Amino acid sequence: EDDLAYMKLLNYNHKVVTNNMMRSFLGSRIAQFLSSVHPYSRTVYISRHGESEYNVSKKLGGDSGLSPLGHEYAPRLAEFAEYVICGGAEKFACFTIRSKENKAEKLKGGLSRVPRCGQTGGIFAKKAWGAGVEEGMQLVRIQRGYGQPFEDAPHTVAELVEIAEGYSGPLVLVFVDSVGKKQECARLWTSSLRRTKETAALIRHPTVPLPGGKSWEQMRHCVYRTLDEVYAGEFEGLTYEEIKKLNPEDARLRKQDKLGYRYPRGESYYDIIARLDLPMNNLETYHEPTLIIGHQAIHRMVYAFLTGMPREKATEISIPLHTVIRLEYDGTGSLQETRYFLGPKRLDEDDGQSML
């Protein structure tokens, strides 16, 4: 059998034996991939950056910063990372009580200090509020108006009402289904573009002690240029309406073959697939939950890779802003998807990227 090309994987990839696999490009890539995969449960979280200035004006590409709404998403994502990705909570909700609402009446009628079975202390939802808040979820953090930092929730409803009545702005409440679980080591990836870095800027990086005197920097920020948005070439900074007027033939060609169309002096989806090869191979080796903050076109291909969706269909996937998509594998091939809308809600749901 020495003249054959083959691999032996013992106990999955704990021991790998290869023969004549490295003599060809395809053989070496197969060996690399099979050596990376593992049968253990893992979780991947994908999120687009917060709303950017280009999203507001519906422009393609560029390296714009976050809009005011995008800057509101960043602290909410940081709370989500701490309580869900690192803290082990399964349910998470951000609920906003508007400045025009009767905040005291809302809080007194919907909150209680009576916990569910197995919980102790704190403030809990007496009923479902909507926006993901379910009966029994615990209030853990509050934000006194947009642009302010989140802080720990008070211990009593009376204290919370006093805070709410002390100013006229909106009150943002963060609820989770459980707190106090053991911290789980987690990873953070972003692209090299400004809007993803700003979205990740408030995520905390505490040091987690590990056995043997080792330590882990929680959510250490790793930047990958290969996660940058598709490059629109000569059409960077234009809206699709402007592209249709300037070059209707290109607009027609892209509509005809969205997967294979390459922007003039730019990229196609095939180019994205090629440059995602390395980070996706790296992702296959990880056991820790990983948060990837990226872009519409990039996350379409990442989502397709992780779920096994045909790439021809992936170009139409909706990856909404201000939403985290959780993909959880149990190690046997079963996949569970959960979507968390963190807000704030955009008045115009069209961000100009649906045709990307």
Side-chain angles (χ1 to χ4, degrees):
E1 299 179 350
D2 289 345
D3 59 327
L4 300 178
Y6 65 85
M7 287 184 66
K8 285 183 180 180
L9 286 84
L10 306 179
N11 194 16
Y12 287 92
N13 57 7
H14 283 202
K15 182 178 181 181
V16 179
V17 178
T18 67
N19 189 74
N20 291 337
M21 292 293 291
M22 303 304 175
R23 294 185 176 181
S24 68
F25 173 77
L26 182 58
S28 63
R29 298 310 303 275
I30 292 174
Q32 178 189 11
F33 180 78
L34 292 180
S35 300
S36 301
V37 296
H38 58 78
Y40 310 110
S41 60
R42 63 190 178 99
T43 307
V44 179
Y45 299 84
I46 61 176
S47 169
R48 287 175 65 187
H49 52 80
E51 181 190 71
S52 70
E53 294 167 353
Y54 265 30
N55 289 143
V56 175
S57 55
K58 299 181 175 58
K59 294 180 179 179
L60 300 184
D63 194 16
S64 65
L66 296 180
S67 70
L69 278 185
H71 280 294
E72 285 304 317
Y73 177 65
R76 298 183 185 209
L77 183 60
E79 299 299 322
F80 179 88
E82 179 167 342
Y83 284 97
V84 179
I85 302 176
C86 303
E90 293 289 333
K91 298 177 181 178
F92 180 97
C94 285
F95 189 90
T96 302
I97 301 178
R98 308 293 176 185
S99 54
K100 294 181 180 180
E101 297 183 65
N102 188 326
K103 288 182 280 189
E105 181 180 338
K106 183 80 174 180
L107 295 173
K108 291 177 181 178
L111 297 176
S112 169
R113 291 206 66 196
V114 180
R116 293 187 302 177
C117 180
Q119 294 177 314
T120 58
I123 301 175
F124 302 87
K126 290 196 295 188
K127 58 184 179 181
W129 286 28
V133 181
E134 300 179 6
E135 180 182 354
M137 290 180 69
Q138 183 174 353
L139 176 65
V140 289
R141 302 277 280 176
I142 65 171
Q143 182 189 38
R144 308 188 194 196
Y146 295 145
Q148 301 301 313
F150 278 91
E151 59 188 91
D152 289 337
H155 298 291
T156 67
V157 178
E159 290 177 283
L160 183 61
V161 170
E162 184 179 348
I163 290 173
E165 292 180 334
Y167 74 103
S168 58
L171 181 67
V172 182
L173 311 175
V174 173
F175 292 87
V176 298
D177 63 333
S178 61
V179 294
K181 289 187 177 181
K182 182 181 178 182
Q183 281 284 303
E184 187 171 6
C185 296
R187 299 174 182 269
L188 169 64
W189 291 4
T190 74
S191 75
S192 68
L193 298 178
R194 178 182 169 190
R195 51 193 181 272
T196 61
K197 292 180 179 179
E198 289 182 353
T199 303
L202 298 179
I203 294 176
R204 294 175 279 278
H205 310 281
T207 300
V208 178
L210 300 177
K214 298 181 180 180
S215 61
W216 174 278
E217 183 184 349
Q218 194 68 285
M219 301 294 284
R220 183 169 66 89
H221 188 182
C222 294
V223 177
Y224 286 87
R225 290 182 61 86
T226 48
L227 294 176
D228 287 358
E229 181 61 294
V230 61
Y231 180 52
E234 295 177 0
F235 296 155
E236 285 275 304
L238 299 179
T239 67
Y240 263 101
E241 292 304 316
E242 291 171 336
I243 293 173
K244 288 179 183 178
K245 291 179 182 179
L246 291 172
N247 203 325
E249 178 64 13
D250 269 285
R252 185 188 68 80
L253 290 173
R254 180 162 180 78
K255 186 175 182 180
Q256 182 177 323
D257 181 16
K258 198 171 182 180
L259 184 66
Y261 172 83
R262 178 176 283 114
Y263 287 103
R265 299 187 181 183
E267 290 183 305
S268 70
Y269 272 101
Y270 284 124
D271 296 313
I272 292 177
I273 293 170
R275 59 179 165 94
L276 282 177
D277 183 70
L278 178 59
M280 291 302 98
N281 269 295
N282 288 343
L283 190 63
E284 286 293 333
T285 68
Y286 295 158
H287 294 207
E288 302 83 13
T290 303
L291 170 62
I292 307 174
I293 303 176
H295 309 270
Q296 175 85 296
I298 289 293
H299 277 337
R300 282 172 170 169
M301 295 297 106
V302 171
Y303 182 91
F305 173 81
L306 294 173
T307 61
M309 175 181 288
R311 58 191 181 186
E312 292 78 11
K313 296 182 179 180
T315 58
E316 303 301 329
I317 298 173
S318 173
I319 309 291
L321 287 170
H322 301 173
T323 301
V324 179
I325 302 175
R326 171 178 174 166
L327 301 172
E328 186 175 12
Y329 301 83
D330 65 0
T332 65
S334 177
L335 169 68
Q336 181 177 349
E337 177 180 333
T338 308
R339 297 200 176 203
Y340 301 86
F341 176 69
L342 308 187
K345 186 174 182 180
R346 305 175 65 242
L347 296 179
D348 184 358
E349 293 300 326
D350 180 14
D351 59 8
Q353 309 297 304
S354 60
M355 294 296 293
L356 196 61

